[in-house]
């Protein structure tokens, strides 16, 4: 995978530390205050919540549609003139309650990340990826395609320890990173 300089991953292995809030607020500030054209993508397909933060609750198209329908058409939701969003689905399909099938779908979506980024990166000043927590295929795949990383944490021992592990992973992948 070739990293794109204008792709930024917002990550923390610990859930509940504010990754999505950080991603949404950063995207909103850059698009509304600085006039930058931003694409915000929910790469947390297993526990999606980005759309809910932007009142995109049950969108007609999501990142999941890339796999299911091989469709990129109408996948972008225009939140504002400069802030565009690709949410993940919060629905649980009846036939996908089997953990093996769920994991298979996640792997299939992750394998499309690079083609998704390649399709849109030239159209935006910045693409922000709201990552899944943990060190599974969802989060590590975003780390490999992003040109930069912001590690989000809070002052709790589990969050700090997981942030330190995240930084070690970033160093292993030779990824530029920042954060507090």
């Amino acid at each position: 995978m070739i990293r794109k300089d204008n792709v930024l991953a917002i990550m923390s292995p610990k859930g509940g530390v504010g990754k999505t809030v950080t991603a949404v607020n950063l995207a909103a500030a850059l698009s509304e205050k600085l006039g930058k054209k931003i694409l915000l993508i929910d790469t947390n397909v297993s526990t999606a919540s980005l759309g809910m933060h932007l009142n995109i609750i049950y969108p007609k198209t999501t990142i999941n549609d890339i796999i299911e329908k091989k469709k990129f058409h109408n996948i972008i939701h225009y939140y504002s003139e400069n802030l565009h969003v690709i949410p993940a689905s919060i629905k649980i399909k009846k036939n996908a309650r089997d953990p093996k099938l769920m994991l298979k779908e996640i792997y299939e979506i992750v394998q499309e990340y690079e083609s998704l980024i390649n399709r849109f990166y030239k159209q935006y000043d910045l693409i922000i990826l709201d990552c899944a927590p943990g060190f599974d295929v969802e989060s590590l795949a975003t780390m490999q395609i992003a040109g930069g990383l912001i590690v989000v944490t809070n002052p709790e021992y589990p969050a700090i320890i997981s942030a330190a592990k995240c930084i070690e992973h970033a160093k292993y992948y030779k990824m530029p990173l920042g954060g507090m």
Side-chain angles (χ1 to χ4, degrees), residues 138-164:
E138 287 176 278
S139 57
L140 294 178
T142 55
M143 189 180 277
Q144 291 178 19
I145 61 170
L149 176 69
I150 293 179
V151 179
V152 180
T153 191
N154 61 31
E156 300 173 330
Y157 286 122
I160 294 168
I161 291 168
S162 67

Side-chain angles (χ1 to χ4, degrees), residues 95-106:
N95 65 346
R97 294 181 194 269
D98 176 349
K100 288 180 185 175
L101 291 175
M102 291 171 66
L103 190 57
K104 181 180 180 274
E105 181 182 22
I106 291 169

Side-chain angles (χ1 to χ4, degrees), residues 18-35:
K19 290 181 301 296
T20 302
V21 170
T22 300
V24 168
N25 285 329
L26 179 61
L30 291 172
S31 66
E32 302 306 317
K33 300 295 183 190
L34 299 179

Side-chain angles (χ1 to χ4, degrees), residues 24-73:
V24 168
N25 285 329
L26 179 61
L30 291 172
S31 66
E32 302 306 317
K33 300 295 183 190
L34 299 179
K36 300 294 181 184
K37 192 166 182 186
I38 306 296
L39 177 61
L40 183 56
I41 304 175
D42 195 345
T43 59
N44 184 356
V45 279
S46 59
T47 54
S49 68
L50 177 67
M52 295 178 77
H53 286 262
L54 297 166
N55 202 28
I56 305 170
I57 309 299
Y58 291 107
K60 291 181 182 177
T61 55
T62 67
I63 195 170
N64 307 65
D65 291 316
I66 293 171
I67 298 307
E68 295 169 11
K69 301 171 186 167
K70 296 291 182 196
K71 117 180 186 181
F72 287 90
H73 183 67

Side-chain angles (χ1 to χ4, degrees), residues 69-81:
K69 301 171 186 167
K70 296 291 182 196
K71 117 180 186 181
F72 287 90
H73 183 67
N74 292 332
I75 195 168
I76 295 177
H77 298 267
Y78 298 94
Y79 184 78
S80 68
E81 182 181 345

